Amino acid sequence: MLPNLTPDVALAQRLFDALRSRSFDGTGITREAFGPGERMAHALVKDAGEALGLESRVDPVGNLYLTLPGADRAAKRVILGSHLDSVRSGGNYDGAAGVLAGLAAVAGMRQAGYVPARDVTVMAIRAEEAGAWFPTSYPGSRGALGTMKPEELGVKRLDSQRTLAEHMRDEGFDPGFVERGERAIGPDSVAAFLEVHIEQGPVLDAEEIPVGIVTGIPGSRRLRAGKVTGEWNHSGGTPRRYRKDAAIALADLAVALDEAWCRLEARGHRMVCTFCVLATAPEAGFTKIAGEAQFQLDVRSINLHSCDALFEVLYDKVAAIEARRGVRFDLGPEAGSRASLMDAGVQAGLTRAAEALGVKYLVMPSGGGHDAAAFAQAGVPAGMLFVRNQNGSHNPHEAMRMEDFAKACAVAQRFAADHAG
């Protein structure tokens, strides 16, 4: 029988406030991956964990581990965690909610004098928002799990144009750990990984449900450097039939894929399709027909066959638009990721915890990518718990009610105590 454990939500609130005040950039929150903002956040959380008497260590790629020792120190541990970096001018809760939920849960156990059967660890992961800083995915978690490729250390941060390896060294870490193929954690040492995270979408808020139990994290097919080449010309002197308008050709493609997405959803495909960038070249201006346009495309689904189906439409439409409008498309290199299903046992454990506590929940897929995907792909039983949030994510208006966060903390704590037992 578990004791009556209560997460220390007040501690989390104080840390949220401190993170906000120390990383406000005048518009939103900026905590750069492998930079000053992330460094500040890790130091803040490390100090808080050590003040609670938790064991503290940092792995060679910079991830922080704060551990409540269990009765059997040799047993596989339970990890609760997420990331502390942010996109530029983002919100305060994306990532940080998962780290502070873990800390609140473990702080409650510590204050109650509860000793789990195995170690329970709070993990603050580096650089989950790598896509906003470095063109790679999950370097912190994959670096710890030994699944990061050495050549990824050479990718350059988008603002500094210095490599990931250089930024790691600047922060006092060892990229050689990745080069040697070593790992800090893995399926041999971790019984389960749970990531609490704000939903980043409107579903839970619209349904008036505080938490979501995540079934899986989508895979993706992505074009980051698409280009359309037409012909620059005078907007007043060029009749329609003589135009090779790159902007209109790109608009044609965007509308065609949006309509195809609608048709595929009607046939049962669950997916999202986003033109993250639709832009004319810098030379564009008033009185000019656009001779060049650029785009970025992000297609995601739990079922990559759905992404493939939309890309088949993409290829067909590109050929048709080129022939009709006299332009040329260059899709550029393609990137992507595999879908990751969350562990059935972890999902069941979260369900039991929520029901035991009387917390209403929704079973749902994730729309975004998260570090839990890296754990699942490395063979660690992984799960996610979403918290209802308002105003979306990756923007300064991102919001989360503390009463919803408290319920998520309680479910995470109950899951960790059950699983650690």
Side-chain angles (χ1 to χ4, degrees), residues 77-88:
R77 69 184 60 217
V78 174
I79 296 180
L80 309 175
S82 191
H83 61 98
L84 289 171
D85 63 323
S86 77
V87 300
R88 191 176 298 281

Side-chain angles (χ1 to χ4, degrees), residues 4-52:
N4 185 23
L5 302 175
T6 303
D8 192 346
V9 177
L11 169 65
Q13 179 68 77
R14 291 194 298 273
L15 292 172
F16 278 129
D17 292 344
L19 284 171
R20 183 182 297 281
S21 67
R22 297 183 194 183
S23 54
F24 182 63
D25 60 16
T27 301
I29 298 301
T30 298
R31 296 192 281 265
E32 312 93 320
F34 290 108
E38 188 180 59
R39 182 194 317 143
M40 173 279 298
H42 275 247
L44 180 73
V45 170
K46 183 174 184 286
D47 288 348
E50 290 177 346
L52 292 169

Side-chain angles (χ1 to χ4, degrees), residues 263-341:
R263 292 193 300 271
L264 287 166
E265 276 202 334
R267 286 160 42 193
H269 293 270
R270 294 195 67 171
M271 61 193 303
V272 292
C273 170
T274 309
F275 277 87
C276 307
V277 170
L278 284 165
T280 51
E283 302 93 315
F286 201 69
T287 77
K288 284 186 176 183
I289 297 166
E292 184 181 308
Q294 294 119 19
F295 65 96
Q296 294 182 341
L297 177 65
D298 182 7
V299 180
R300 306 187 193 193
S301 178
I302 295 289
N303 183 352
L304 278 180
H305 293 302
S306 298
C307 299
D308 295 341
L310 194 63
F311 262 68
E312 288 303 313
V313 177
L314 168 72
Y315 301 139
D316 289 344
K317 293 298 181 182
V318 160
I321 295 167
E322 285 179 333
R324 187 170 74 252
R325 295 199 175 272
V327 300
R328 186 177 71 256
F329 279 83
D330 178 1
L331 301 181
E334 182 180 329
S337 61
R338 303 197 317 267
S340 301
L341 297 179

Side-chain angles (χ1 to χ4, degrees), residues 138 199-200 216-218 300 366-370 384 386:
Y138 317 129
E199 182 201 348
Q200 301 181 283
I217 295 171
R300 306 187 193 193
S366 172
H370 301 282
M384 289 198 74
F386 276 169

Side-chain angles (χ1 to χ4, degrees), residues 75-111:
K76 294 183 182 183
R77 69 184 60 217
V78 174
I79 296 180
L80 309 175
S82 191
H83 61 98
L84 289 171
D85 63 323
S86 77
V87 300
R88 191 176 298 281
S89 294
N92 199 39
Y93 301 111
D94 180 351
V99 178
L100 300 191
L103 196 62
V106 170
M109 293 178 180
R110 181 78 173 175
Q111 290 158 4

Side-chain angles (χ1 to χ4, degrees), residues 6 32 60 65 128 164 167 213 217 232 289 300:
T6 303
E32 312 93 320
Y65 306 84
E128 192 273 347
L164 174 57
H167 278 279
I213 296 173
I217 295 171
W232 296 101
I289 297 166
R300 306 187 193 193

Side-chain angles (χ1 to χ4, degrees), residues 34 39-40 45 115 136 142 148 160 180 187 190 266 318 325 342 347 401:
F34 290 108
R39 182 194 317 143
M40 173 279 298
V45 170
V115 178
T136 189
R142 290 194 299 118
M148 186 177 171
S160 71
R180 295 187 297 270
V190 182
V318 160
R325 295 199 175 272
M342 296 294 92
Q347 291 181 60
R401 300 186 185 100

